[in-house]
Amino acid sequence: MRISSRVAVLTIFLSFFAYGSFSIEDYRQAFPIIEPDPGHTKLRLSREGLKAIERITNPIAAVAVIGPYRSGKSFLLNQLLSLSCYEGFGVGHMRDTKTKGIWVWGAPVEIDIDGVKTSVFYLDTEGFESVGKSNVYDDRIFALANVMSSVLIYNLPETIREADISRLSFAVELAEEFYGRFGQDVAFEPAKLLWLIQRDFLQGKSVKEMVDEALRRVPNVEGNKNIDQVNQIRESLAIMGDNSTAFSLPQPHLQRTKLCDMKDDELDPMYVKKREQLKKVVASIIRPKIVQGKSLNGKEFVSFLEQILDALNKGEIPSTGSLVEIFNKGILERCMKLYNDRMGKLGLPTSETSMQRAHQGSKEVAMKAFDEQHFGRHHAKKSAEKLIEEIEKVYKNFILANEYQSSKLCEALYTSCEDKMDQLQVLRLPSMAKFNAGFLHCNQSFEQKCVGPSKSSYELRMKKMLGKSKSLFIKEYNHRLFNWLVAFSLVMVVIGRFIIKFILIEIGAWILFIFLETYTRMFWTAESLYYNPVWHVIVGTWESLVYSPILDLDRWAIPLGVIVAILLLYWRCYGKRKPGSSWILPLYNSHKDERRSE
Ligand SMILES: *[C@@H]1O[C@H](CO)[C@@H](O)[C@H](O)[C@H]1NC(C)=O
Ligand SMILES: *[C@@H]1O[C@H](CO)[C@@H](O)[C@H](O)[C@H]1NC(C)=O
């Protein structure tokens, strides 16, 4: 204790000079990073200790030691880190408090792995088989250590018992769930299992043989369910065998209680030799933790830890299913984005069938992407269901948006058509052709442009409005045309008599006037006139006069009238003095008088 506090003081002192700040802590000590919750069934993060990891910017690797309570895990870790019991992890009989949850040695060992500077953290875990806790708790610690670490040292005294194997069920499940994907990102690299049997092998059996033997199927003639289960785990472990290593360590010294006070030269030389070998083995198999194709720095490692802790705390027992969901979360988001992007390209509003088709197509693409990328063999179904659920939810939003856009567009078309129809009603010179052109344009632009779910309802409204407008127009049209013609004939009478002084025009105008006023009033009603062939001729003439593709008289009536008036005036003033001009047709006297006077 005195040494460690001295070191602490020294480090603080040094860091004060190095950084000019007191906030730098001494990381050369063990920190808890995972603690049991008060009920001792679930786990929670210990923020204080995580700072030791968060500050690291190198890729991180972790070596976790798991094993039964009082199997000497802390001592082993101190040996691997070359620490004495006084400064390193609390050794069982040295301190009253035994390791609870998961602890980390705050100062990582920096090693070069394939040219990458990697910070290796050593983790001590709470031993299992102690009384007063649920098995679920042990399983959680086990599972967490399994997911977090790159090398899992399974520290077993003397031998491998059936219970020790059945504890690896989660590791096996994880392996089967996650590690079978080739050629793509793996969710995370499996922890390499290192069986460490602390025992003096005197009977000539190698540790490898011992592990192999323990992993061999045992006959199960009675069909015991428990044995079946363990056999299954054995099989899976054997398949993963490539990635597990067996190693044995002899007893460091016969006097176990004095171990902490012994220097290396007092320990069994065989132990020291094997311990150094073990360090080398660990260094040779350790790799930075790779999660979804990326190594993690301190901050990322901690957030990864948070995620898996959440997943493992979920539910009654830690399950690989909830872990699968976590890893699939990012993929789910990507697939959703894929769906969204494809649907976004659709361009709203659109018809319901093309919407449906786009939805089906995009959904297929998203599901296919998910199928190709997802993690988990057996538990991915839930994520897939979630994806479908999300897609349907988004699809509903697209439908709503489409409805809104469609009704907005159709409403705008309807309104503009309504305005146009109103304008056509009040033409100065009513023209059937012009009205029809506008009518057709409205109909066509509506049919072409109004798309989507609102079309049918707006089509009904539109038809009704157009129909009403048309019948109103026809009624007004004949009436106004009649009035116009009456006015026109009167004007022509005036023009023929006083301006052009051309008797045929005046006569024609009179005939028209009489036809319209007297004749029709006497023999027919105005309505019956509109069915008369003569009226059709008049309408035809009027139509071609008033509205043609080249000239819209309604628009140009006033300018043209002005021009004609000017021309007439000009002709009146200029034409008088022109002697050569003569008319074939009879004209009024005034002209002759002028000639005579000349
Ligand atoms: C051993 O681990 C590597 C990755 O470290 C993996 O690619 C390989 O499939 C594993 N072997 C077995 C048999 O699980
Ligand atoms: C447009 O005209 C076509 C053919 O005359 C008709 O079937 C359709 O209902 C019309 N649409 C509207 C909105 O009036």
Side-chain angles (χ1 to χ4, degrees), residues 529-592:
L529 170 71
Y530 303 149
Y531 296 100
N532 192 299
V534 179
W535 182 254
H536 286 272
V537 173
I538 293 173
V539 167
T541 318
W542 168 261
E543 284 294 328
S544 51
L545 211 69
V546 159
Y547 183 74
S548 73
I550 307 160
L551 183 68
D552 179 1
L553 210 59
D554 189 55
R555 191 172 295 170
W556 296 106
I558 293 172
L560 280 180
V562 170
I563 290 169
V564 168
I566 289 171
L567 282 179
L568 279 176
L569 219 65
Y570 176 80
W571 175 76
R572 280 278 298 162
C573 304
Y574 186 71
K576 272 180 193 169
R577 267 170 260 139
K578 216 167 176 182
S581 65
S582 66
W583 292 83
I584 303 156
L585 292 165
L587 294 170
Y588 284 101
N589 290 338
S590 63
H591 204 115
K592 283 180 214 154

Coordinates of all heavy atoms in Angstrom, one line a residue, residues 529-592:
L529 N -84.7 30.3 -83.4 CA -83.8 30.8 -84.4 C -82.4 30.1 -84.4 O -81.8 29.8 -85.4 CB -83.5 32.3 -84.1 CG -82.4 33.0 -84.9 CD1 -82.8 33.1 -86.4 CD2 -82.0 34.3 -84.4
Y530 N -82.1 29.7 -83.1 CA -80.8 29.1 -83.0 C -80.7 27.7 -83.6 O -79.6 27.2 -83.8 CB -80.4 29.0 -81.5 CG -80.4 30.3 -80.8 CD1 -80.8 30.4 -79.4 CD2 -80.1 31.5 -81.4 CE1 -80.8 31.6 -78.8 CE2 -80.2 32.7 -80.8 CZ -80.5 32.8 -79.5 OH -80.6 34.0 -78.8
Y531 N -81.8 27.2 -84.0 CA -81.8 25.9 -84.7 C -81.9 26.1 -86.2 O -81.9 25.1 -86.9 CB -82.9 25.0 -84.2 CG -82.7 24.6 -82.7 CD1 -83.4 25.3 -81.7 CD2 -81.8 23.6 -82.3 CE1 -83.2 25.0 -80.4 CE2 -81.6 23.3 -81.0 CZ -82.3 24.0 -80.0 OH -82.1 23.8 -78.7
N532 N -82.1 27.3 -86.6 CA -82.3 27.6 -88.0 C -80.9 27.5 -88.8 O -79.9 27.9 -88.3 CB -82.8 29.0 -88.2 CG -83.3 29.3 -89.6 OD1 -82.5 29.2 -90.5 ND2 -84.6 29.6 -89.7
P533 N -80.9 26.9 -90.0 CA -79.6 26.7 -90.7 C -79.0 28.1 -91.0 O -77.8 28.2 -91.0 CB -80.1 26.1 -92.0 CG -81.4 25.5 -91.8 CD -82.0 26.2 -90.6
V534 N -79.8 29.1 -91.2 CA -79.3 30.4 -91.4 C -78.5 30.9 -90.2 O -77.4 31.4 -90.3 CB -80.4 31.5 -91.7 CG1 -79.8 32.8 -91.9 CG2 -81.2 31.0 -92.8
W535 N -79.0 30.6 -89.1 CA -78.3 31.0 -87.8 C -76.9 30.2 -87.7 O -75.9 30.8 -87.3 CB -79.1 30.6 -86.6 CG -78.5 31.0 -85.3 CD1 -77.9 30.2 -84.4 CD2 -78.3 32.3 -84.8 NE1 -77.4 30.9 -83.4 CE2 -77.6 32.2 -83.6 CE3 -78.7 33.6 -85.3 CZ2 -77.3 33.3 -82.8 CZ3 -78.3 34.7 -84.5 CH2 -77.6 34.6 -83.3
H536 N -77.0 29.0 -88.2 CA -75.7 28.2 -88.2 C -74.7 28.9 -89.1 O -73.5 28.9 -88.7 CB -76.0 26.8 -88.6 CG -76.6 26.0 -87.5 ND1 -76.0 25.3 -86.5 CD2 -78.0 25.8 -87.2 CE1 -76.8 24.7 -85.7 NE2 -78.0 25.0 -86.1
V537 N -75.1 29.4 -90.2 CA -74.2 30.0 -91.1 C -73.7 31.3 -90.4 O -72.5 31.6 -90.5 CB -74.9 30.4 -92.4 CG1 -74.0 31.3 -93.3 CG2 -75.3 29.2 -93.2
I538 N -74.6 32.0 -89.8 CA -74.1 33.2 -89.1 C -73.1 32.9 -88.0 O -72.0 33.5 -87.9 CB -75.3 34.0 -88.5 CG1 -76.2 34.5 -89.6 CG2 -74.9 35.1 -87.5 CD1 -77.5 35.1 -89.1
V539 N -73.4 31.8 -87.2 CA -72.5 31.4 -86.2 C -71.2 31.0 -86.8 O -70.1 31.4 -86.2 CB -73.1 30.3 -85.4 CG1 -72.1 29.6 -84.5 CG2 -74.3 30.7 -84.5
G540 N -71.2 30.3 -87.9 CA -70.0 29.9 -88.5 C -69.1 31.0 -88.9 O -67.9 31.1 -88.7
T541 N -69.8 32.0 -89.6 CA -69.1 33.2 -90.0 C -68.5 34.0 -88.8 O -67.3 34.4 -88.8 CB -70.0 34.2 -90.7 OG1 -70.9 33.4 -91.6 CG2 -69.3 35.2 -91.5
W542 N -69.3 34.1 -87.8 CA -68.9 34.8 -86.6 C -67.7 34.2 -86.0 O -66.7 34.8 -85.6 CB -70.1 34.9 -85.6 CG -69.7 35.3 -84.2 CD1 -69.5 34.5 -83.2 CD2 -69.6 36.6 -83.8 NE1 -69.2 35.2 -82.1 CE2 -69.2 36.5 -82.4 CE3 -69.6 37.9 -84.4 CZ2 -69.0 37.7 -81.6 CZ3 -69.4 39.0 -83.6 CH2 -69.1 38.9 -82.3
E543 N -67.8 32.8 -85.9 CA -66.7 32.1 -85.2 C -65.4 32.3 -86.0 O -64.4 32.5 -85.3 CB -67.1 30.6 -85.2 CG -68.1 30.2 -84.1 CD -67.6 30.4 -82.7 OE1 -66.4 30.3 -82.5 OE2 -68.4 30.8 -81.8
S544 N -65.5 32.1 -87.3 CA -64.2 32.3 -88.0 C -63.7 33.7 -88.0 O -62.5 33.9 -88.1 CB -64.4 31.8 -89.5 OG -65.5 32.4 -90.1
L545 N -64.6 34.6 -87.8 CA -64.2 36.0 -87.7 C -63.5 36.3 -86.4 O -62.5 37.0 -86.3 CB -65.5 36.9 -87.9 CG -65.3 38.2 -88.5 CD1 -65.0 38.0 -90.0 CD2 -66.6 39.1 -88.4
V546 N -64.2 35.8 -85.3 CA -63.8 36.2 -84.0 C -62.6 35.4 -83.4 O -61.8 36.0 -82.8 CB -65.0 36.0 -83.1 CG1 -64.6 35.9 -81.6 CG2 -66.0 37.2 -83.3
Y547 N -62.6 34.1 -83.7 CA -61.5 33.3 -83.1 C -61.0 32.4 -84.1 O -61.6 31.5 -84.6 CB -62.1 32.6 -81.9 CG -61.0 31.8 -81.1 CD1 -60.1 32.5 -80.3 CD2 -60.9 30.4 -81.3 CE1 -59.1 31.8 -79.7 CE2 -59.9 29.7 -80.6 CZ -59.0 30.4 -79.8 OH -58.1 29.7 -79.2
S548 N -59.7 32.6 -84.4 CA -59.0 31.6 -85.2 C -57.7 31.4 -84.5 O -57.3 32.2 -83.7 CB -58.9 32.1 -86.6 OG -57.9 33.1 -86.7
P549 N -57.0 30.3 -84.9 CA -55.7 30.1 -84.3 C -54.8 31.3 -84.4 O -53.8 31.5 -83.6 CB -55.2 28.9 -85.0 CG -56.4 28.1 -85.5 CD -57.4 29.2 -85.8
I550 N -54.9 32.1 -85.6 CA -54.0 33.2 -85.8 C -54.5 34.4 -85.1 O -53.7 35.2 -84.5 CB -54.0 33.5 -87.3 CG1 -53.6 32.2 -88.1 CG2 -53.0 34.6 -87.7 CD1 -54.0 32.2 -89.6
L551 N -55.8 34.7 -85.1 CA -56.3 35.9 -84.5 C -57.3 35.7 -83.5 O -58.4 35.1 -83.8 CB -56.8 36.8 -85.7 CG -57.3 38.2 -85.3 CD1 -56.1 39.0 -84.9 CD2 -58.1 38.8 -86.4
D552 N -57.1 36.2 -82.3 CA -58.1 36.2 -81.3 C -58.7 37.6 -81.2 O -58.1 38.5 -80.6 CB -57.5 35.7 -80.0 CG -58.6 35.7 -78.9 OD1 -59.7 36.0 -79.1 OD2 -58.2 35.3 -77.7
L553 N -59.9 37.7 -81.8 CA -60.4 39.1 -81.9 C -60.8 39.6 -80.6 O -60.8 40.8 -80.4 CB -61.7 39.1 -82.9 CG -61.9 40.4 -83.6 CD1 -60.7 40.7 -84.4 CD2 -63.2 40.2 -84.5
D554 N -61.2 38.8 -79.7 CA -61.5 39.2 -78.3 C -60.4 40.0 -77.7 O -60.6 41.0 -77.0 CB -61.9 38.0 -77.4 CG -62.5 38.5 -76.1 OD1 -63.5 39.2 -76.2 OD2 -62.0 38.1 -75.1
R555 N -59.2 39.6 -78.0 CA -58.1 40.2 -77.4 C -57.7 41.5 -78.2 O -57.3 42.5 -77.7 CB -56.9 39.3 -77.3 CG -55.7 39.8 -76.5 CD -54.7 38.7 -76.3 NE -55.2 37.6 -75.5 CZ -54.5 36.4 -75.4 NH1 -53.4 36.3 -76.0 NH2 -55.0 35.5 -74.6
W556 N -57.8 41.4 -79.6 CA -57.3 42.4 -80.5 C -58.4 43.4 -81.0 O -58.1 44.2 -81.8 CB -56.6 41.8 -81.7 CG -55.4 41.0 -81.3 CD1 -55.3 39.7 -81.2 CD2 -54.2 41.5 -80.8 NE1 -54.1 39.3 -80.8 CE2 -53.3 40.5 -80.5 CE3 -53.7 42.8 -80.6 CZ2 -52.1 40.6 -80.0 CZ3 -52.4 43.0 -80.2 CH2 -51.6 41.9 -79.8
A557 N -59.6 43.2 -80.5 CA -60.8 44.0 -81.0 C -60.5 45.5 -80.9 O -60.6 46.3 -81.8 CB -62.0 43.6 -80.3
I558 N -60.0 45.9 -79.7 CA -59.9 47.3 -79.5 C -58.7 47.9 -80.3 O -58.9 48.9 -81.1 CB -59.7 47.6 -78.0 CG1 -61.0 47.3 -77.3 CG2 -59.3 49.1 -77.7 CD1 -61.0 47.4 -75.8
P559 N -57.5 47.3 -80.3 CA -56.5 47.8 -81.2 C -56.8 47.8 -82.6 O -56.6 48.8 -83.3 CB -55.3 46.9 -80.9 CG -55.6 46.1 -79.7 CD -57.1 46.2 -79.4
L560 N -57.5 46.7 -83.1 CA -57.9 46.7 -84.5 C -58.9 47.7 -84.8 O -58.8 48.4 -85.8 CB -58.4 45.3 -84.8 CG -57.4 44.2 -85.0 CD1 -58.1 42.9 -85.3 CD2 -56.4 44.6 -86.2
G561 N -59.9 47.9 -83.9 CA -60.9 48.9 -84.1 C -60.3 50.3 -84.3 O -60.6 51.1 -85.2
V562 N -59.3 50.6 -83.4 CA -58.6 51.9 -83.5 C -57.9 52.0 -84.8 O -58.0 53.0 -85.5 CB -57.6 52.0 -82.3 CG1 -56.7 53.2 -82.5 CG2 -58.3 52.1 -81.0
I563 N -57.2 51.0 -85.2 CA -56.5 51.0 -86.5 C -57.4 51.2 -87.7 O -57.2 52.1 -88.5 CB -55.7 49.7 -86.7 CG1 -54.5 49.7 -85.8 CG2 -55.1 49.6 -88.2 CD1 -53.8 48.3 -85.7
V564 N -58.5 50.5 -87.7 CA -59.5 50.6 -88.7 C -60.1 52.0 -88.8 O -60.2 52.7 -89.8 CB -60.6 49.6 -88.6 CG1 -61.8 49.9 -89.5 CG2 -60.1 48.2 -88.9
A565 N -60.4 52.6 -87.5 CA -60.9 53.9 -87.5 C -59.9 54.9 -88.0 O -60.3 55.8 -88.8 CB -61.2 54.3 -86.0
I566 N -58.6 54.7 -87.7 CA -57.6 55.6 -88.2 C -57.5 55.6 -89.8 O -57.5 56.6 -90.5 CB -56.2 55.3 -87.6 CG1 -56.2 55.7 -86.1 CG2 -55.1 56.0 -88.4 CD1 -55.1 55.3 -85.3
L567 N -57.5 54.3 -90.3 CA -57.5 54.1 -91.7 C -58.7 54.8 -92.4 O -58.5 55.4 -93.4 CB -57.5 52.6 -92.0 CG -56.1 51.9 -91.8 CD1 -56.2 50.4 -92.2 CD2 -55.0 52.5 -92.7
L568 N -59.8 54.6 -91.8 CA -61.0 55.2 -92.4 C -60.9 56.7 -92.4 O -61.2 57.3 -93.4 CB -62.2 54.8 -91.6 CG -62.8 53.4 -91.9 CD1 -64.0 53.0 -91.0 CD2 -63.3 53.3 -93.3
L569 N -60.4 57.2 -91.3 CA -60.3 58.7 -91.2 C -59.3 59.2 -92.3 O -59.6 60.2 -93.0 CB -59.8 59.0 -89.8 CG -60.4 60.3 -89.2 CD1 -61.9 60.0 -89.0 CD2 -59.7 60.6 -87.9
Y570 N -58.2 58.4 -92.4 CA -57.2 58.8 -93.3 C -57.8 58.8 -94.8 O -57.6 59.7 -95.6 CB -56.0 57.8 -93.2 CG -54.9 58.0 -94.2 CD1 -54.0 59.0 -94.0 CD2 -54.8 57.2 -95.3 CE1 -53.0 59.2 -94.9 CE2 -53.8 57.4 -96.2 CZ -52.9 58.4 -96.0 OH -51.9 58.5 -96.9
W571 N -58.5 57.7 -95.0 CA -59.1 57.5 -96.3 C -60.0 58.6 -96.6 O -60.1 59.1 -97.7 CB -59.7 56.1 -96.4 CG -60.5 55.9 -97.7 CD1 -59.9 55.5 -98.9 CD2 -61.9 56.0 -97.9 NE1 -60.8 55.4 -99.8 CE2 -62.1 55.7 -99.3 CE3 -63.0 56.3 -97.1 CZ2 -63.3 55.7 -99.8 CZ3 -64.2 56.3 -97.7 CH2 -64.4 56.0 -99.0
R572 N -60.8 59.0 -95.6 CA -61.8 60.1 -95.8 C -61.1 61.4 -96.2 O -61.5 62.1 -97.1 CB -62.6 60.3 -94.5 CG -63.7 59.3 -94.2 CD -64.9 59.7 -95.0 NE -65.5 61.0 -94.6 CZ -66.4 61.6 -95.3 NH1 -66.8 61.1 -96.5 NH2 -67.0 62.7 -94.9
C573 N -60.0 61.7 -95.5 CA -59.3 63.0 -95.7 C -58.5 62.9 -97.0 O -58.5 63.9 -97.8 CB -58.4 63.3 -94.6 SG -59.3 63.4 -93.0
Y574 N -57.8 61.9 -97.2 CA -56.9 61.8 -98.3 C -57.6 61.4 -99.6 O -57.3 62.0 -100.7 CB -55.8 60.8 -98.0 CG -54.7 60.7 -99.0 CD1 -53.8 61.8 -99.1 CD2 -54.5 59.6 -99.8 CE1 -52.8 61.7 -100.0 CE2 -53.5 59.5 -100.7 CZ -52.6 60.6 -100.8 OH -51.6 60.5 -101.7
G575 N -58.5 60.4 -99.5 CA -59.2 59.9 -100.6 C -60.0 61.0 -101.4 O -60.1 60.9 -102.6
K576 N -60.5 62.0 -100.7 CA -61.3 63.1 -101.4 C -60.5 63.8 -102.5 O -61.0 64.2 -103.5 CB -61.6 64.2 -100.3 CG -62.9 63.9 -99.6 CD -63.2 65.0 -98.6 CE -64.3 64.6 -97.6 NZ -64.3 65.5 -96.5
R577 N -59.2 64.0 -102.2 CA -58.4 64.8 -103.1 C -57.8 63.9 -104.2 O -57.1 64.4 -105.1 CB -57.2 65.5 -102.3 CG -57.6 66.8 -101.9 CD -56.5 67.4 -101.0 NE -56.9 67.2 -99.6 CZ -56.0 66.8 -98.6 NH1 -54.8 66.5 -98.9 NH2 -56.4 66.8 -97.4
K578 N -58.1 62.7 -104.2 CA -57.5 61.8 -105.2 C -58.5 61.7 -106.4 O -59.5 61.1 -106.3 CB -57.3 60.4 -104.7 CG -56.0 59.9 -105.3 CD -55.5 58.7 -104.5 CE -54.3 58.2 -105.3 NZ -53.7 57.0 -104.7
P579 N -58.1 62.3 -107.6 CA -59.0 62.4 -108.7 C -59.1 61.0 -109.4 O -60.2 60.7 -109.9 CB -58.4 63.4 -109.6 CG -57.0 63.5 -109.3 CD -56.8 63.0 -107.9
G580 N -58.0 60.3 -109.4 CA -58.0 59.0 -110.2 C -58.9 57.9 -109.7 O -59.2 57.0 -110.4
S581 N -59.2 58.0 -108.5 CA -59.9 56.9 -107.9 C -61.3 56.9 -108.3 O -62.0 57.9 -108.2 CB -59.7 56.9 -106.4 OG -60.4 58.1 -105.9
S582 N -61.8 55.8 -108.8 CA -63.2 55.7 -109.2 C -63.7 54.4 -108.8 O -63.0 53.5 -108.6 CB -63.3 55.9 -110.7 OG -62.7 54.7 -111.3
W583 N -65.0 54.4 -108.5 CA -65.7 53.2 -108.0 C -66.6 52.6 -109.1 O -67.2 53.3 -109.9 CB -66.6 53.6 -106.8 CG -65.7 54.0 -105.6 CD1 -65.2 55.2 -105.4 CD2 -65.3 53.1 -104.6 NE1 -64.5 55.2 -104.3 CE2 -64.5 53.9 -103.8 CE3 -65.5 51.8 -104.3 CZ2 -63.9 53.4 -102.6 CZ3 -64.9 51.3 -103.1 CH2 -64.1 52.1 -102.3
I584 N -66.5 51.4 -109.2 CA -67.3 50.7 -110.2 C -68.8 50.7 -109.8 O -69.7 50.8 -110.5 CB -66.8 49.3 -110.4 CG1 -65.3 49.3 -110.8 CG2 -67.6 48.5 -111.4 CD1 -64.6 48.0 -110.5
L585 N -68.9 50.5 -108.5 CA -70.3 50.4 -107.9 C -70.8 51.8 -107.6 O -70.0 52.7 -107.4 CB -70.2 49.6 -106.6 CG -69.9 48.1 -106.9 CD1 -69.5 47.4 -105.6 CD2 -71.1 47.4 -107.6
P586 N -72.1 51.9 -107.6 CA -72.7 53.3 -107.4 C -72.4 53.8 -106.0 O -72.5 53.1 -105.1 CB -74.2 53.1 -107.6 CG -74.4 51.6 -107.4 CD -73.2 50.9 -107.9
L587 N -72.1 55.0 -105.9 CA -71.8 55.7 -104.7 C -72.7 56.8 -104.4 O -73.5 57.2 -105.4 CB -70.3 56.2 -104.6 CG -69.2 55.1 -104.7 CD1 -67.9 55.7 -105.0 CD2 -69.3 54.3 -103.5
Y588 N -72.7 57.4 -103.3 CA -73.6 58.5 -103.0 C -73.1 59.8 -103.7 O -71.9 59.8 -104.2 CB -73.6 58.8 -101.5 CG -74.5 57.8 -100.8 CD1 -73.9 56.7 -100.1 CD2 -75.9 57.9 -100.8 CE1 -74.7 55.8 -99.5 CE2 -76.7 57.0 -100.2 CZ -76.1 55.9 -99.5 OH -76.9 55.0 -98.9
N589 N -73.9 60.8 -103.7 CA -73.7 62.0 -104.6 C -72.4 62.8 -104.2 O -71.8 63.3 -105.1 CB -74.9 62.9 -104.5 CG -76.0 62.3 -105.2 OD1 -75.8 61.4 -106.0 ND2 -77.2 62.7 -104.8
S590 N -72.2 62.8 -103.0 CA -71.1 63.7 -102.5 C -69.8 63.5 -103.3 O -69.1 64.4 -103.7 CB -70.8 63.4 -101.0 OG -70.3 62.1 -100.9
H591 N -69.5 62.3 -103.7 CA -68.4 62.0 -104.4 C -68.4 62.6 -105.8 O -67.5 63.2 -106.3 CB -68.2 60.4 -104.5 CG -66.7 60.1 -104.7 ND1 -66.0 59.4 -103.8 CD2 -65.9 60.3 -105.8 CE1 -64.8 59.2 -104.3 NE2 -64.7 59.8 -105.5
K592 N -69.6 62.4 -106.4 CA -69.8 62.9 -107.8 C -69.7 64.4 -107.8 O -69.1 65.0 -108.7 CB -71.2 62.5 -108.3 CG -71.2 61.1 -108.8 CD -72.6 60.8 -109.3 CE -73.0 59.3 -109.0 NZ -74.5 59.2 -108.9

